[in-house]
């Protein structure tokens, strides 16, 4: 039987800490951390995410700035808005909800955000800083995974860490963070040979490939730490991860459930980045 890593519980305790830090910042300096969230179009999942970010801001005492733009917003209009927000001292963090409608160029939009306000850590400057281990912000999902490992007292140094998935948002930065903590890291993807054997060597297995129940018990070492970043729907339209929880849980040492595992951490990490951004932009040390 695995120990269940509760993202809900860890997230709640991090938020308590952030709430206190925010109150202290407001008290001492009058600065309210400001997060601008830009949503273009009507993607239903994105609308839910944006609403949750808004609620998190309210919970922690941040100042939310919300921009809901029409489906037909032009590249120029979006860049103009980002430019205004880059210059607004009340806005400390800027997040453009992805995916953007097809006619917009995602890369140039993300590159236009001031790196000091890039609380998603998607700008190449912030991505590069993660590579060299000198960063201000970590991308929210990998940062959430690290927080879960630390909160569970899991040692990373010297462990075989296998990351399944090589996306810019999760797999690549996740691998860098584990490497920085002296894990021996293997990155797997759709072309990896002997995926099953490689996964079965993992002491820590992080899965982010977006395929429902892809990781089965035969791919997991007895006692391994299994972190499931996936959010999918199964054949009955029920939420499920990239890991076949039913079969893997009895074999794992630790496992994150879906929902209630990595998911609750991501917005909390976004809030942590925004608070840090607010402090940095005002010359306040952590
Ligand atoms: N859409 C899905 N995940 C994310 C994320 O982490 N950041 C942004 N900006 N959009 C997303």
């Amino acid at each position: 039987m695995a120990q269940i890593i509760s993202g809900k519980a860890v997230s709640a305790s991090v938020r308590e800490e952030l709430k206190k830090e925010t109150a202290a910042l407001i008290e001492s300096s009058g600065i309210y951390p400001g997060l601008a969230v830009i949503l273009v179009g009507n993607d239903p999942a994105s609308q839910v995410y944006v609403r949750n970010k808004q609620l998190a801001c309210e919970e922690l005492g941040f100042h939310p700035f919300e921009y809901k733009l029409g489906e037909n917003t032009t590249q120029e209009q979006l860049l103009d808005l980002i430019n205004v927000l880059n210059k607004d001292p009340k806005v400390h963090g800027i997040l453009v909800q992805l995916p953007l409608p097809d006619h917009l160029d995602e890369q140039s939009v993300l590159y236009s955000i001031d790196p000091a306000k890039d609380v998603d850590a998607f700008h190449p400057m912030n991505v590069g800083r993660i590579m060299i281990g000198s960063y201000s912000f970590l991308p929210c999902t990998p940062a959430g995974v690290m927080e879960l490992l630390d909160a569970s007292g899991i040692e990373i140094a010297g462990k075989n860490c296998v990351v399944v998935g090589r996306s810019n948002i999760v797999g690549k930065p996740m691998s860098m963070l584990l490497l920085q903590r002296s894990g021996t890291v293997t990155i797997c993807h759709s072309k990896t040979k002997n995926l099953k054997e490689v996964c079965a060597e993992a002491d820590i297995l992080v899965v982010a490939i977006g395929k429902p129940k892809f990781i089965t018990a035969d791919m997991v070492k007895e006692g391994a730490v299994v972190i499931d970043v996936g959010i999918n729907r199964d054949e009955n339209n029920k939420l499920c991860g990239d890991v076949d929880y039913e079969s893997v849980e009895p074999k794992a040492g630790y496992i994150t459930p879906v929902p209630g595992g990595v998911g609750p951490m991501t917005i909390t990490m976004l809030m942590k980045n925004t608070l840090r951004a607010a402090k940095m932009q005002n010359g306040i040390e952590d």
Side-chain angles (χ1 to χ4, degrees):
M1 283 278 283
Q3 285 205 45
I4 314 298
I5 302 177
S6 169
K8 256 189 188 167
V10 176
S11 168
S13 93
V14 175
R15 282 197 191 193
E16 273 318 303
E17 222 23 68
L18 294 178
K19 215 183 277 184
K20 280 187 213 149
E21 271 185 54
T22 304
L25 177 69
I26 296 167
E27 168 86 24
S28 65
S29 65
I31 296 160
Y32 288 75
L35 174 64
V37 176
I38 304 173
L39 172 64
V40 185
N42 309 308
D43 180 68
S46 291
Q47 284 172 338
V48 174
Y49 292 139
V50 165
R51 170 97 191 113
N52 286 337
K53 285 163 188 167
Q54 186 90 8
L55 290 174
C57 283
E58 285 165 18
E59 181 192 339
L60 298 186
F62 288 17
H63 192 154
F65 299 81
E66 199 178 72
Y67 298 87
K68 289 189 172 163
L69 309 182
E71 186 78 29
N72 297 324
T73 301
T74 64
Q75 182 85 10
E76 196 187 355
Q77 286 168 328
L78 182 53
L79 293 179
D80 282 349
L81 172 60
I82 292 170
N83 196 28
V84 169
L85 296 174
N86 278 341
K87 293 188 185 128
D88 185 341
K90 288 198 169 63
V91 172
H92 307 105
I94 302 172
L95 179 141
V96 178
Q97 187 65 35
L98 303 177
L100 287 169
D102 287 344
H103 67 279
L104 296 173
D105 174 10
E106 183 175 299
Q107 187 159 310
S108 67
V109 168
L110 295 179
Y111 288 16
S112 74
I113 297 172
D114 178 348
K117 297 190 176 188
D118 170 38
V119 284
D120 257 333
F122 289 168
H123 190 286
M125 162 93 93
N126 289 320
V127 174
R129 291 182 66 175
I130 290 162
M131 286 289 288
I132 56 174
S134 142
Y135 42 76
S136 309
F137 309 123
L138 291 177
C140 302
T141 301
V145 172
M146 297 307 283
E147 197 88 31
L148 289 178
L149 293 173
D150 288 341
S152 309
I154 293 162
E155 183 68 38
I156 298 166
K159 296 286 175 64
N160 277 344
C161 303
V162 174
V163 177
V164 188
R166 54 171 154 179
S167 67
N168 288 332
I169 294 184
V170 184
K172 286 183 199 170
M174 186 75 247
S175 308
M176 280 302 125
L177 298 189
L178 291 166
L179 177 62
Q180 230 136 57
R181 298 279 293 274
S182 303
T184 303
V185 182
T186 306
I187 309 172
C188 297
H189 47 79
S190 53
K191 298 281 192 294
T192 298
K193 290 186 182 133
N194 307 324
L195 180 68
K196 179 174 134 184
E197 287 74 17
V198 177
C199 289
E201 286 291 309
D203 302 310
I204 299 174
L205 181 63
V206 182
V207 193
I209 44 165
K211 291 189 181 164
K213 303 184 186 179
F214 181 81
I215 299 289
T216 46
D218 56 329
M219 302 167 83
V220 175
K221 181 160 90 174
E222 195 78 45
V225 177
V226 180
I227 306 288
D228 189 350
V229 181
I231 302 178
N232 314 291
R233 298 260 168 200
D234 70 9
E235 59 283 2
N236 303 314
N237 206 34
K238 202 168 155 254
L239 274 187
C240 72
D242 291 349
V243 175
D244 180 27
Y245 189 88
E246 297 277 301
S247 75
V248 170
E249 186 271 328
K251 202 171 176 188
Y254 292 82
I255 192 166
T256 58
V258 176
V262 176
M265 296 302 296
T266 53
I267 293 185
T268 300
M269 294 297 107
L270 174 70
M271 297 296 132
K272 189 172 175 173
N273 282 347
T274 305
L275 176 57
R276 187 164 164 73
K279 287 184 178 177
M280 288 188 330
Q281 283 159 45
N282 288 282
I284 299 166
E285 289 297 317
D286 258 341

